[in-house]
């Protein structure tokens, strides 16, 4: 999914609107009396594309582009998504939230993993993967994207084999990926401590805290590539395949995180988990209000709407209500109202529950709030508004703004949550957050 967080602001003493998410408008659409944006030097990170380490994959990550080296290393611009390709064949897109300096980006999609393994020039995965560019150049003639369907992959792999590739079975490629992941330290949270797990080839796991071995365990991988971890008398079994976008091995008793950073976030979130429950308890939404909100949104979507530079859109299918998206929305409305500010980025203070719970260095983003509140999205977007009391008027204001209208009328979304927080002692008094998503 390609995500951008461009913003539009229209400010008077009574109205502020900002649209954010997969669609938006450029800062050039801001009012002429708005201050000129200051140029910023982008922050550049370095990460590693790993099945085994993959050399020869092209990447574009914001201002950074190139080809992965022998260690799978690539450069990325923070807060910008990445696109990976074989020649000009689109391999995958990666959400910026999955990219962190110094960390591995594991290829857990079985089909893509089998393609990369099949393209290894010396057919020896133990020394890493170097993509055979001669085979890629032949594939490039017929394909512009790696197929996403099983039937499409069958034809793609037949073409690879006709050019000399040795394509492994899905089960074989999965086994190699899980073995690669286990060859690096994994991390878990135990008794409010972050532990490193070092998996050895003899089936032994060393459990470490602060670089010191404090315990040991054992593990095995069965014929279905399921990992079982035996910690003394406690058995923890992998519950499902690792999904693209997930950064852990899901186990029955815990999660085995791919990095210490992720485990530390999980540990903080567990200790702060009561904060999330308080959002719903303190700011409940009765069924009548929920239906009124949803009806207003879907009445707008049931008509054609002029979304300015995006054209005339609609009618589009109605949205359904999501309690997770509502939780993300109400969290942000409360955060803005309590601290009397207006931005898509959370305050980073106690009322920014996501930022505090995850130990973020700054305020939370819309996508971080959505995921933290339990919604694993493929696409998400956010509209916010302040200074408007009436529901129909805020919907109209969003329709009248190109960037917000295209969110509200997007057929890419299937669910929505909408929240209003009233803070009478603040400048704008009424703080709305509307969050869209699809899985």
């Amino acid at each position: 999914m390609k995500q951008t967080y461009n913003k539009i602001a229209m400010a008077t003493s009574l109205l502020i609107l900002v649209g954010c998410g997969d669609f938006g408008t450029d800062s050039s659409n801001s009012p002429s009396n708005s201050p000129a944006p200051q140029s910023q030097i982008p922050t550049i990170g370095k990460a590693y594309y790993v099945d085994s380490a993959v050399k020869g994959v092209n990447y574009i990550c914001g201002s950074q582009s190139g080809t992965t080296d022998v260690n799978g290393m690539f450069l990325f611009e923070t807060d910008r998504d990445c696109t990976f390709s074989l020649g000009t064949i689109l391999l995958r897109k990666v959400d910026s939230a999955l990219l962190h300096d110094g960390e591995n980006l594991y290829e857990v999609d079985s089909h893509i993993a089998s393609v990369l393994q099949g393209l290894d020039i010396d057919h020896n995965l133990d020394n890493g993967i170097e993509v055979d560019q001669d085979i890629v150049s032949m594939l490039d003639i017929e394909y512009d994207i790696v197929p996403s369907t099983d039937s499409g992959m069958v034809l793609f792999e037949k073409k690879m084999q006709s050019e000399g590739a040795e394509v492994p079975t899905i089960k074989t490629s999965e086994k190699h990926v899980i073995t690669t992941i286990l060859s690096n330290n994994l991390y878990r949270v135990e008794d409010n401590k972050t532990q490193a797990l070092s998996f050895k080839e003899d089936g032994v796991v060393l459990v470490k805290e602060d670089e010191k071995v404090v315990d040991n365990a054992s593990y095995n991988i069965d014929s279905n590539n399921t990992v079982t971890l035996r910690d003394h008398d406690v058995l923890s079994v992998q519950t499902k395949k690792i999904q693209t976008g997930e950064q852990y091995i899901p186990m029955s008793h815990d999660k085995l995180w791919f990095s210490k950073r992720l485990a530390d976030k999980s540990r903080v979130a567990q200790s702060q988990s009561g904060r999330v429950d308080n959002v719903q308890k303190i700011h409940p939404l009765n069924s009548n209000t929920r239906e009124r909100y949803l009806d207003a949104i879907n009445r707008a979507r049931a008509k054609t709407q002029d979304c300015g530079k995006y054209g005339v859109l609609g009618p589009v299918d109605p949205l359904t209500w999501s309690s997770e998206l509502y939780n993300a929305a109400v969290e942000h409305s409360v955060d803005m109202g309590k601290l009397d500010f207006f931005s898509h980025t959370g305050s980073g203070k106690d009322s920014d529950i996501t930022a505090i719970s995850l130990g973020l260095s700054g305020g939370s983003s819309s996508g971080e709030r959505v995921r933290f509140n339990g919604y694993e999205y493929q696409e998400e977007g956010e509209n916010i508004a302040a200074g408007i009391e009436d529901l129909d008027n805020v919907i109209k204001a969003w329709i009248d703004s190109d960037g917000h209208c295209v969110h509200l009328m997007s057929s890419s979304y299937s669910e929505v949550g909408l929240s209003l927080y009233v803070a009478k002692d603040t400048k704008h008094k009424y703080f709305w957050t509307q969050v869209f998503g699809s899985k």
Side-chain angles (χ1 to χ4, degrees):
M1 177 187 68
K2 184 71 175 177
Q3 254 186 280
T4 50
Y5 289 97
N6 298 329
K7 297 188 281 188
I8 172 174
M10 298 184 295
T12 69
S13 60
L14 294 177
L15 167 66
I16 301 178
L17 293 171
V18 175
C20 174
D22 292 317
F23 306 92
T25 58
D26 296 329
S27 58
S28 59
N29 290 326
S30 300
S32 58
N33 62 350
S34 298
Q38 297 180 354
S39 60
Q40 294 182 344
I41 299 174
T43 302
I44 307 302
K46 178 171 64 177
Y48 302 88
Y49 189 32
V50 174
D51 175 327
S52 291
V54 183
K55 177 184 178 182
V57 173
N58 298 330
Y59 65 87
I60 300 175
C61 303
S63 62
Q64 303 300 299
S65 61
T67 304
T68 56
D69 70 7
V70 68
N71 297 311
M73 190 272 289
F74 63 95
L75 301 176
F76 63 92
E77 181 181 344
T78 56
D79 298 322
R80 298 293 299 273
D81 298 343
C82 277
T83 300
F84 291 89
S85 61
L86 297 168
T88 62
I89 304 170
L90 177 62
L91 188 64
R92 65 173 298 189
K93 293 183 178 181
V94 178
D95 192 295
S96 61
L98 301 179
L99 303 173
H100 293 273
D101 189 50
E103 295 186 7
N104 291 336
L105 175 67
Y106 291 109
E107 183 49 79
V108 298
D109 184 296
S110 299
H111 285 306
I112 294 178
S114 67
V115 168
L116 292 173
Q117 293 170 29
L119 289 173
D120 185 26
I121 198 165
D122 68 356
H123 311 300
N124 179 10
L125 301 180
D126 291 338
N127 61 6
I129 295 173
E130 181 177 353
V131 174
D132 190 325
Q133 300 299 338
D134 289 337
I135 297 178
V136 169
S137 65
M138 299 306 296
L139 295 170
D140 230 340
I141 297 172
E142 297 184 23
Y143 290 90
D144 57 12
I145 188 172
V146 174
S148 58
T149 63
D150 290 341
S151 58
M153 280 302 301
V154 169
L155 297 176
F156 189 81
E157 290 176 351
K158 283 184 177 179
K159 177 63 177 176
M160 287 175 59
Q161 290 169 334
S162 72
E163 299 298 337
E166 296 183 3
V167 183
T169 64
I170 291 298
K171 186 166 287 189
T172 299
S173 68
E174 285 179 348
K175 176 68 174 291
H176 181 263
V177 171
I178 198 71
T179 302
T180 299
I181 293 173
L182 294 180
S183 69
N184 296 283
N185 277 350
L186 295 177
Y187 299 84
R188 71 179 181 186
V189 178
E190 186 78 11
D191 295 329
N192 202 32
K193 295 179 180 178
T194 298
Q195 295 181 332
L197 302 184
S198 179
F199 290 77
K200 304 300 181 181
E201 291 185 2
D202 59 2
V204 172
V205 182
L206 300 181
V207 181
K208 302 178 182 179
E209 293 177 6
D210 298 325
E211 302 299 325
K212 296 180 180 180
V213 176
V214 296
D215 205 348
N216 61 72
S218 61
Y219 78 99
N220 71 281
I221 307 173
D222 67 17
S223 59
N224 291 317
N225 297 323
T226 298
V227 178
T228 299
L229 179 66
R230 182 182 294 276
D231 210 348
H232 301 295
D233 293 329
V234 178
L235 210 64
S236 187
V237 182
Q238 185 177 348
T239 56
K240 63 179 181 178
K241 303 295 184 185
I242 306 168
Q243 304 296 310
T244 298
E246 290 182 348
Q247 295 176 286
Y248 58 87
I249 300 176
M251 305 294 286
S252 55
H253 286 87
D254 46 25
K255 294 179 179 178
L256 303 183
W257 295 95
F258 292 167
S259 73
K260 184 176 184 299
R261 175 188 60 83
L262 292 165
D264 284 341
K265 281 188 175 183
S266 176
R267 175 175 52 80
V268 173
Q270 288 178 28
S271 65
Q272 301 280 350
S273 60
R275 295 174 181 268
V276 178
D277 295 335
N278 289 337
V279 175
Q280 185 90 4
K281 291 175 183 176
I282 297 172
H283 307 283
L285 188 68
N286 64 53
S287 58
N288 289 337
T289 302
R290 182 183 65 232
E291 292 305 315
R292 187 165 58 88
Y293 284 0
L294 192 59
D295 179 64
I297 293 167
N298 285 331
R299 276 190 284 109
R301 288 172 63 89
K303 303 175 184 177
T304 57
Q305 304 288 356
D306 183 357
C307 293
K309 70 177 185 179
Y310 297 100
V312 175
L313 301 179
V316 287
D317 290 340
L319 301 175
T320 57
W321 188 265
S322 164
S323 59
E324 291 99 341
L325 294 180
Y326 168 73
N327 283 341
V330 73
E331 175 188 327
H332 194 50
S333 288
V334 171
D335 188 27
M336 290 190 294
K338 282 185 174 294
L339 297 180
D340 198 10
F341 77 100
F342 190 77
S343 171
H344 281 290
T345 302
S347 66
K349 308 296 184 183
D350 282 350
S351 54
D352 187 350
I353 295 169
T354 295
I356 295 299
S357 298
L358 297 181
L360 302 179
S361 58
S364 63
S365 68
S366 172
E368 287 168 333
R369 291 188 292 270
V370 169
R371 277 209 171 99
F372 182 70
N373 281 280
Y375 192 94
E376 290 296 329
Y377 63 85
Q378 292 296 320
E379 298 192 41
E380 69 87 28
E382 179 181 88
N383 285 339
I384 59 177
I388 308 174
E389 180 178 3
D390 181 71
L391 171 64
D392 289 335
N393 286 341
V394 79
I395 296 293
K396 183 178 185 302
W398 281 327
I399 288 293
D400 289 342
S401 167
D402 296 0
H404 306 82
C405 180
V406 76
H407 272 190
L408 193 54
M409 297 302 295
S410 172
S411 60
S412 297
Y413 301 131
S414 58
E415 297 179 277
V416 70
L418 175 63
S419 169
L420 167 66
Y421 181 73
V422 180
K424 289 293 183 69
D425 294 332
T426 63
K427 178 180 180 181
H428 299 291
K429 297 181 176 58
Y430 305 98
F431 296 84
W432 295 88
T433 304
Q434 182 182 46
V435 183
F436 305 91
S438 60
K439 295 182 178 179

